[in-house]
Each structure stands twice: as structure tokens, then as C-alpha cells.
Amino acid sequence: MNAEQGTYKGYNIFISTEHDDTLDVWNGRYRILDKSGKVVLESLVPPLDDESKAEESANVEARAWIDGDSDKLSGTPQ
């Protein structure tokens, strides 16, 4: 498991990845906390075949949620 922490526009973002040995894929998870430390969102991105892709996807989605850019969220219908 890989974990990373950063800040973006006043929010704290925690990114982590986990390998699913059964399916041989990487799961990317992101958690967004507000200025007071309360979790405002925790979500997963679709499983990917590479850890770095899962981590990058989680970073992109976390920032997209903060920016209100729903087109970049994996759960948004096209």
C-alpha cells in the first residue's frame, strides 16, 4: 500500500493505493478533509492495472471534486 498526503485549495487530501491480489488490480482511494479536519468525501476510483495510474486517477478525481468539475469524476454519467 502506498499513501500520500497533500493540500489543495484549503483542503487536505489523502491518497492511498492497495493491490487486490485476487483480481490483480490496483484500487485508488482518496479522502478529502476540510479546514477543521472533518472528512467531506471519501471515494474510490475504478480499479486499474498499474499502481501509479490508480494513484494519479485518485489525485485527479480529488481535485476535480474540490473544483466542482464533475466531468472528471468516474461516477459521473457522460
Side-chain angles (χ1 to χ4, degrees):
M1 179 168 80
N2 184 24
E4 171 185 323
Q5 176 182 345
T7 58
Y8 182 70
K9 295 185 177 180
Y11 290 91
N12 288 316
I13 302 172
F14 293 91
I15 304 293
S16 64
T17 56
E18 295 177 348
H19 188 254
D20 182 331
D21 293 330
T22 305
L23 300 174
D24 194 27
V25 294
W26 286 91
N27 297 308
R29 175 187 305 272
Y30 58 97
R31 179 181 293 160
I32 301 172
L33 288 76
D34 66 11
K35 293 176 185 178
S36 66
K38 293 180 183 174
V39 175
V40 294
L41 180 71
E42 183 168 6
S43 191
L44 295 166
V45 297
L48 295 163
D49 62 355
D50 181 85
E51 182 179 19
S52 62
K53 289 178 188 176
E55 183 177 339
E56 177 62 23
S57 183
N59 269 303
V60 167
E61 286 208 22
R63 284 163 175 70
W65 185 87
I66 292 168
D67 290 339
D69 188 354
S70 61
D71 290 339
K72 292 184 180 174
L73 299 175
S74 59
T76 303
Q78 297 296 323

